[in-house]
Amino acid sequence: MRGKLTRRRFLATTAASTALIAMPYVRGSHAAGRLSIGFWDHWVPSANNTSKALVEEWAAKEKVEVLVDYIPTQGQKLLLTIAAEAQAKSGHDILALSTWLPSDHANQLEPVDDIVEPLIKQNGAVNATVEYLGKSQGRWIAVPATIGSQIKGPCSRIDLMKQHAGIDVQAMYPAGAPPKAENWTLEAFLKAAEACQKAGFPFGIGLGTTPDSVDTAGAIFHSFGAQAFLVRLGAPAGSIRDEQMAVLDPRHLREQFVVPRQSVDIDLHDAQVRHGRGALIMNPPSAWAVAKRDAPQVAEQCWTHGMAAGPKGRFAPCVPYFWGIWSFGKNKEAAKSLLVHLSQPAAIEKLVAASGGYDLPPFANLTTLKTWAEEEPPKGTLYHYPNPYNHQVLSIAGAPAPPKIAVQIYIQGVMTKMTVRHLQGEPMEKTLAWAENEVEGFLRT
Amino acid sequence: MADAVIGQVTDRATARPRRFGLRSAMRRKSMTAFLMTSPLILLIALLVVYPALYSVNLATLNRSMEHFVGFGNFLFLFNRETFWMVVRQSCIFALTAVLFKAIFGFVVAHFVHNIPAKGQRKWRGMLLVPWVIPPAMSCLAWLWLFDPSYSAFNWVFEKFGIGPIPWTGDAMWARFSVILVNVWIGAPFFMIMYLAALKSVPEQLYEAAAVDGANFLQRTWYVTLPMMRNIIAITALFSLIVTFANFDIVRILTAGGPIDLTHVFATWAFRVGIEVGDIPLGASVSLFMVPILTVAAIFILRDINRRGNEA
């Protein structure tokens, strides 16, 4: 009797089921799920607000619940978070990945060709260094990011360079016009460094293993064609070409070691400019921005410009950031949609403005935004920062060795260590043998 | 039916002593102690044993953590010049720092011991300050003191026509700097341990030594040191372990530089494992400390046990 289906009960059940099926789909405020993001905690305070506003704008439109964490790089917090999430296979859906991290975690990152290729078509090509770092086995494994990407070219004191080295950096890199820097060579750079050093205003180039030191050393190595030395060490046996071997002549390397003789501790080299004690540093406009706040009279004399050219070309250190999506992430489609939103020209323009021109978009069509033309003092000081005329090759230390090897060359500071060893009196042959031995150890798979 | 009755009787007969055994076990002090410490044991198992075993597991994997390589990572390290440099530096750093911490701790403990009881507490508190400040904070202060451009030390030395000294830029000075800071932070621990040991030395022994005409050095050598031997050994062992595994001081002051000449095991493991992304190799570097410290611990603890038995 209990299990018997009565006519009345059948009708009631049918009516209820029909009503349930026919009920209109109510799209809630978080109908498309959740998305957690770990962004780099920008050192420019308002920059985080802008990225958060852009994310919230997208979230409201797409009905996604977002959680944004800003993770600082102080104390390697971001690096540790990434390492922990990679181990745990759990964490944020999107994470900011600095320079080498996409290739480090290539196996755990979602391929993003489907969004990066259209973005390149829309915004212009990315430079070879961004491609080298963001691709693995021919596929994009992370989206080139605007937030955090930078070029570490020279930032000079206009007055000191003019007074002590006879170089007018504003005339060499005029705001709003192409550079006239044919004579801006490493030879001229060295002469200027020596003159400024004698006058008590040394160039701030470090020789430690901090990224700033390594980036500068890497650009100088590139300028002398010494990257082939690293290719030889990083390349699998049997693939060494004769012309690469040719540049192993120690004289090519020896020439480079002269420049960083004016070295200071790189961790404080921006302080050097801020306090008016240095004539040139190799840095993005962060030192200038702090000087603008703390020592406006120093900021008025700062001019960011291109790198000096070496015998093999003009190379500037480029340190791009990426946004990666974990392959174990739970909402990959939403993650891709957000990254496309953040890579739109309008969003990029806002991000660049919020960072005071510090952040650099990776795309070729977006290097002439008004922020860089208008930032002051002095007006136009950042005009040449994003390399608008492509007059220098954007490079990274360790490249073009395979990224798994190059990252070790970079993090271990092989180039700066070579420089220091030789400057301390070690014969060049011994220094080269040491470097060869070190890099051979990096071939471990 | 009879079988069933016999069965029940047998079960009861066997069950009774079991209940009794559990009850008596619960009454035993050792069981109570075990139960009371079990949360801590569980915590240690989770936070110490599991990570330790996990790091052993990591150390046996290849760089991409996909294949088992056995002792491959250790064999790789044994062939690296830089690794042996790190081993050498860790030994120099730990042994020198522990030795100086012990000497300073011993001397300062004597000074404090001789201060009248009324004002002693203030001195003890003040002298403990370097030890109780978080090392990351005090190291930052030292970093500023060692700064190449704005160093307070160099500013003072300049007044006397000395310097500028490259505190963290030259290998010897950098080693001196990290050891100095380690001694500054760690010496108060030695001081407080030695002070406690000094206070437990019976006054009669000194009186007897004085009657025998012993001078200060003889009293120290024949009375104080023998009475403090166990404390000295235990303190040295603890400090050796902590100093060998030190990370913060070197990381903040020199980050292992210049040209890797101040790297110790922990900073090198961090560099290789986290910064370079070779976690198995980093785990292998950090595990290399275990045999060194085990040997030291065995020797020191064996010596203490022997003396304990003699007593």
Side-chain angles (χ1 to χ4, degrees), chain A residues 324-360:
Chain A
I325 303 170
W326 288 125
S327 56
F328 47 79
K330 292 187 177 64
N331 206 348
K332 294 178 204 168
E333 287 313 308
K336 285 183 179 178
S337 166
L338 172 62
L339 295 183
V340 169
H341 177 74
L342 292 175
S343 304
Q344 294 306 305
I348 286 175
E349 195 163 354
K350 284 181 191 169
L351 291 170
V352 171
S355 69
Y358 176 93
D359 292 337
L360 285 182

Side-chain angles (χ1 to χ4, degrees), chain A residues 76 79-80 83 87 104 107 209 265 268 271-272 275 277 404 407-408 411-412 417 420-421 424 434 437-438 441 444-445, chain B residues 54 58 62-63 65-66 73 76 80-82 147-150 251 259-260 268 270-272 274-279 281:
Chain A
Q76 304 283 24
L79 189 64
L80 289 166
Q87 285 288 300
D104 266 359
N107 295 341
T209 51
D265 188 315
L268 286 154
Q272 212 194 11
H275 295 288
R277 303 255 314 250
K404 291 266 181 202
V407 62
Q408 299 178 75
I411 301 289
Q412 299 281 17
K417 284 179 192 166
V420 172
R421 292 176 84 100
Q424 287 181 344
W434 169 84
N437 183 267
E438 278 294 291
R444 209 178 88 87
T445 52
Chain B
Y54 186 58
L58 283 175
N62 70 334
R63 188 182 172 193
M65 294 193 279
E66 285 162 341
N73 290 328
F76 172 82
R80 306 306 309 157
E81 189 191 323
T82 314
D147 179 83
S149 310
Y150 311 101
R251 177 76 195 171
I259 49 171
D260 296 333
W268 184 248
F270 186 79
R271 167 67 51 87
V272 172
I274 301 292
E275 292 185 321
V276 171
D278 194 340
I279 289 177
L281 199 64

